[in-house]
Amino acid sequence: EAGVAQSPRYKIIEKRQSVAFWCNPISGHATLYWYQQILGQGPKLLIQFQNNGVVDDSQLPKDRFSAERLKGVDSTLKIQPAKLEDSAVYLCASSSLSYEQYFGPGTRLTVT
Amino acid sequence: QKEVEQNSGPLSVPEGAIASLNCTYSDRVSQSFFWYRQYSGKSPELIMSIYSNGDKEDGRFTAQLNKASQYVSLLIRDSQPSDSATYLCAVNIGSFGSGTKLNVKP
């Protein structure tokens, strides 16, 4: 069974630029999550999708971050414009009904 | 008060010993609890889930849950150097602790 796929793996951008991350969950997993993990901290949930509907986006900075999950499968997370404090690893995870989450390899974002 | 609290460590144990990792949480009505392992530079990997009070064993790992005390722990028996990693406690769907770094010395 293929795991969670993410791309790109690394991205370096200048502040005020925009960036987008892509995630393909495990086949059949209805729930998809985007997390931000800053070095030395635990993952912080940004947004949770159930199929193509948003369940929780309470910690998503909506003035600059957006996410969508078209057709209930792939998802994209966008940052526009990026700030220095957005430098982090962005993790995508998926789960079935059990809520046991399986993480992708992550995208390491550096904002200069 | 953080929702999920863990001692950051590092916790150092000799090879073959039992490593005990602890986690407390603030939401009294929490229903699901997870332990993830994260190697340096890698993404978290699910080790165990636990939903009911008591112990749950899987190989060398035992998760313990005490909802009255709002406390969940992970025991690793016969610790190996390959167990050296950061262990993340997660409560419910998206609340993670900051993790405890475990060092197993050969």
Side-chain angles (χ1 to χ4, degrees):
Chain A
E1 179 183 77
V4 177
Q6 288 188 248
S7 67
R9 294 293 310 279
Y10 305 92
K11 190 74 177 178
I12 301 174
I13 61 172
E14 295 181 352
K15 60 184 179 183
R16 292 187 289 274
Q17 287 187 324
S18 63
V19 64
F21 312 127
W22 172 83
C23 174
N24 180 250
I26 292 173
S27 177
H29 279 191
T31 309
L32 184 148
Y33 316 79
W34 282 103
Y35 288 90
Q36 178 193 61
Q37 187 173 27
I38 293 172
L39 189 64
Q41 299 181 18
K44 172 188 170 183
L45 180 65
L46 294 175
I47 190 166
Q48 176 192 350
F49 292 96
Q50 180 82 16
N51 296 309
N52 61 349
V54 175
V55 175
D56 182 2
D57 64 356
S58 58
Q59 298 191 93
L60 186 73
K62 298 180 185 64
D63 57 334
R64 298 185 300 106
F65 286 63
S66 64
E68 61 181 7
R69 190 182 185 197
L70 299 177
K71 301 180 182 178
V73 182
D74 293 6
S75 177
T76 57
L77 176 70
K78 297 179 181 178
I79 308 175
Q80 181 179 11
K83 293 185 175 181
L84 294 176
E85 60 259 35
D86 298 331
S87 293
V89 175
Y90 290 84
L91 297 163
C92 178
S94 69
S95 71
S96 60
L97 294 176
S98 70
Y99 297 117
E100 294 177 345
Q101 297 179 48
Y102 296 87
F103 286 82
T107 297
R108 184 175 299 275
L109 174 67
T110 302
V111 182
T112 64
Chain B
Q1 182 188 10
K2 288 186 178 179
E3 292 185 26
V4 182
E5 300 220 33
Q6 297 181 255
N7 187 317
S8 61
L11 173 66
S12 293
V13 300
E15 184 174 356
I18 295 175
S20 177
L21 305 161
N22 304 314
C23 171
T24 59
Y25 59 94
S26 60
D27 184 357
R28 185 169 290 277
V29 298
S30 298
Q31 295 295 319
S32 52
F33 307 85
F34 308 91
W35 283 100
Y36 292 84
R37 178 175 60 200
Q38 187 171 28
Y39 292 114
S40 181
K42 302 295 185 182
S43 58
E45 171 191 13
L46 179 68
I47 299 175
M48 292 193 68
S49 58
I50 187 166
Y51 304 95
S52 304
N53 277 330
D55 295 358
K56 179 181 178 182
E57 186 174 321
D58 184 0
R60 296 186 296 112
F61 298 96
T62 298
Q64 300 175 317
L65 175 61
N66 184 326
K67 289 186 178 181
S69 300
Q70 296 175 239
Y71 172 94
V72 59
S73 64
L74 179 70
L75 301 178
I76 307 175
R77 289 182 300 281
D78 187 24
S79 295
Q80 301 296 310
S82 58
D83 295 326
S84 297
T86 296
Y87 289 80
L88 298 164
C89 172
V91 175
N92 295 326
I93 291 174
S95 295
F96 279 80
S98 295
T100 298
K101 186 171 184 178
L102 173 66
N103 290 330
V104 181
K105 300 179 179 179

